[in-house]
Amino acid sequence: TRCHHRVSSCVLLTLTTMPLMKQLHILISVLLICFFVTSLKAEDELPSIEAIKDRITQTLSLIKNLQVEEKTVKRQRDYVREDDIYQMNRESTWTLTSDLKRHYVSTGESLNFNKEGATKVPYKAELAYDGTIARSIRYLSRNLTRPFAGQVDDYPTTHTMNPMKLTVFWEGKKTLLDIISQRPYHVIANEEIYGRDAYVMIGDPIDRDGWHWNHRIHFDMELGTQLKVAYVMKRPDAEDWIEYATWSGLDHEEVIPGVWLPKKYRYYSFTVKEDGSPIELFGGMIGSFSNWKVNQDIPADRFTMIFPDNLPVNDQRPKQNGRLMSKDEIKQLNAEAKQLGIRN
């Protein structure tokens, strides 16, 4: 600035009238002051964690529900022959709400594992989660129009990428705001990632089983959404964190004013070995989203499911151990699903 230029000129003019050693001492002092001021400026440019919480809250307030179509290439390591990695293609349609209900239908390929390796088979699954019970149906691989087995759980399990994980709604029953509020988080850096400026957040570590566990989150203040989330771990005496699972959203588009959603995504999980050898890819997904819809009308029964007659249904809820449900229990579940659809 003009003021800085005048100060610099005065310093140079003064230096020329002083002995050499004194000139060097003053010059070093000026450089240290400049470095200190620059460091303060860089630190001041980082937003507070409260500012990021406010930005997340703003995005959350704009979204009531989301619908999207997904295409993904899924890679999975063989559980038995660990050197083999298989690739599957999936297509899914999703409906998700701000109170974390969800519904999806997914078709494509799955794997049947045996001691010789794995074989690809046709795949179709449907899941409906009403916020309390997750109901799902797998279809027969040789006839995808025929239901094969049902399942109930208190939490929805997905076998493709949950689009919510690529927004401020995070996953499960928690939003990104919940995650960074449940223990202290800190904004530690401003980094460029995928061509965007993002602020890096990390929480106070959780100490468990001789490891420190944490989340490292890249958040875009302009778009109001996360760009990358990494699950990280390290030994207490180690300096660097190890990423053992990451997911990222890329190439965002503004679907409605203020709501930016990704067109592409990446997900990777890694195996971290105790002996310190290099981590290995365990599995991952690379995919794309299309036809995002935000805050559209949704049929009342979208998040419920009626199990067909005579379909075996396993109960995966806590303390049920995957037991086969009786016909009367399934009948009661179906009655509750019908009532829930009417209430919604």
Side-chain angles (χ1 to χ4, degrees):
T1 65
R2 186 177 302 174
C3 179
H4 290 155
H5 176 70
R6 287 176 179 172
V7 171
S8 300
S9 299
C10 291
V11 170
L12 289 174
L13 182 62
T14 305
L15 286 175
T16 57
T17 62
M18 290 183 177
L20 180 60
M21 288 303 296
K22 198 167 185 178
Q23 290 182 33
L24 288 174
H25 289 158
I26 293 176
L27 185 58
I28 290 171
S29 299
V30 170
L31 290 174
L32 288 173
I33 291 170
C34 290
F35 175 77
F36 178 70
V37 171
T38 303
S39 300
L40 283 178
K41 183 176 184 294
E43 184 176 343
D44 289 343
E45 288 176 351
L46 295 178
S48 66
I49 197 69
E50 294 304 319
I52 289 184
K53 288 180 180 179
D54 290 343
R55 187 67 181 93
I56 295 170
T57 301
Q58 182 181 10
T59 301
L60 287 171
S61 70
L62 297 174
I63 302 175
K64 295 179 180 178
N65 61 66
L66 300 171
Q67 297 178 76
V68 70
E69 298 171 13
E70 174 199 10
K71 291 184 178 181
T72 186
V73 177
K74 183 176 182 179
R75 295 185 176 95
Q76 183 173 325
R77 186 175 294 275
D78 193 319
Y79 296 114
V80 180
R81 299 155 57 103
E82 294 187 355
D83 290 337
D84 294 338
I85 296 179
Y86 297 93
Q87 181 171 300
M88 298 160 282
N89 295 299
R90 297 267 176 92
E91 294 187 12
S92 307
T93 57
W94 287 86
T95 304
L96 310 113
T97 69
S98 59
D99 56 355
L100 305 181
K101 297 183 179 73
R102 71 187 69 169
H103 173 270
Y104 78 85
V105 178
S106 182
T107 60
E109 300 169 319
S110 185
L111 295 175
N112 279 345
F113 287 96
N114 52 56
K115 58 185 178 181
E116 284 79 30
T119 56
K120 289 184 184 180
V121 295
Y123 167 87
K124 180 181 177 182
E126 181 178 2
L127 177 138
Y129 176 58
D130 57 26
T132 303
I133 297 177
R135 300 167 170 86
S136 62
I137 294 177
R138 275 289 288 270
Y139 288 78
L140 199 63
S141 60
R142 64 176 182 270
N143 181 3
L144 294 182
T145 64
R146 181 181 171 185
F148 171 68
Q151 179 176 300
V152 296
D153 205 337
D154 62 352
Y155 177 78
T157 301
T158 57
H159 300 282
T160 182
M161 190 65 191
N162 178 3
M164 278 294 194
K165 294 178 74 167
L166 300 162
T167 73
V168 290
F169 286 98
W170 197 260
E171 62 176 334
K173 297 182 179 181
K174 294 181 179 179
T175 67
L176 178 57
L177 183 62
D178 296 327
I179 294 297
I180 65 173
S181 299
Q182 65 186 10
R183 70 177 194 273
Y185 268 75
H186 314 277
V187 185
I188 61 171
N190 182 1
E191 294 181 357
E192 182 177 327
I193 183 171
Y194 311 134
R196 301 282 312 174
D197 285 332
Y199 293 108
V200 184
M201 296 182 286
I202 195 163
D204 286 354
I206 297 172
D207 189 5
R208 187 175 65 244
D209 301 326
W211 290 87
H212 283 171
W213 306 85
N214 219 327
H215 298 133
R216 184 167 57 207
I217 304 164
H218 285 73
F219 186 82
D220 189 320
M221 285 288 278
E222 182 181 359
L223 302 186
T225 192
Q226 63 200 34
L227 300 181
K228 178 183 177 182
V229 173
Y231 282 11
V232 294
M233 60 190 292
K234 70 173 183 176
R235 291 295 188 186
D237 57 348
E239 182 176 351
D240 297 326
W241 291 97
I242 302 170
E243 294 184 348
Y244 67 93
T246 71
W247 61 89
S248 308
L250 303 90
D251 194 14
H252 289 71
E253 61 176 329
E254 191 174 27
V255 181
I256 65 170
V259 176
W260 293 82
L261 299 168
K263 295 180 184 178
K264 302 175 183 177
Y265 72 84
R266 301 170 183 166
Y267 168 80
Y268 303 105
S269 63
F270 303 93
T271 301
V272 179
K273 299 188 176 181
E274 291 282 348
D275 60 5
S277 58
I279 63 174
E280 296 179 346
L281 177 70
F282 177 76
M285 289 178 277
I286 299 175
S288 63
F289 295 119
S290 61
N291 298 323
W292 280 105
K293 297 177 182 178
V294 181
N295 301 340
Q296 301 289 308
D297 291 335
I298 297 173
D301 60 353
R302 176 66 56 86
F303 305 104
T304 64
M305 178 181 291
I306 305 298
F307 290 115
D309 292 339
N310 301 317
L311 182 73
V313 178
N314 295 98
D315 193 338
Q316 297 290 343
R317 288 173 292 187
K319 299 182 180 180
Q320 298 302 315
N321 301 317
R323 67 176 181 84
L324 198 63
M325 301 184 73
S326 69
K327 289 185 178 181
D328 287 342
E329 288 175 314
I330 297 172
K331 185 178 179 180
Q332 179 63 30
L333 271 178
N334 285 343
E336 293 171 358
K338 290 176 182 178
Q339 287 299 316
L340 186 63
I342 294 171
R343 288 199 302 271
N344 287 344

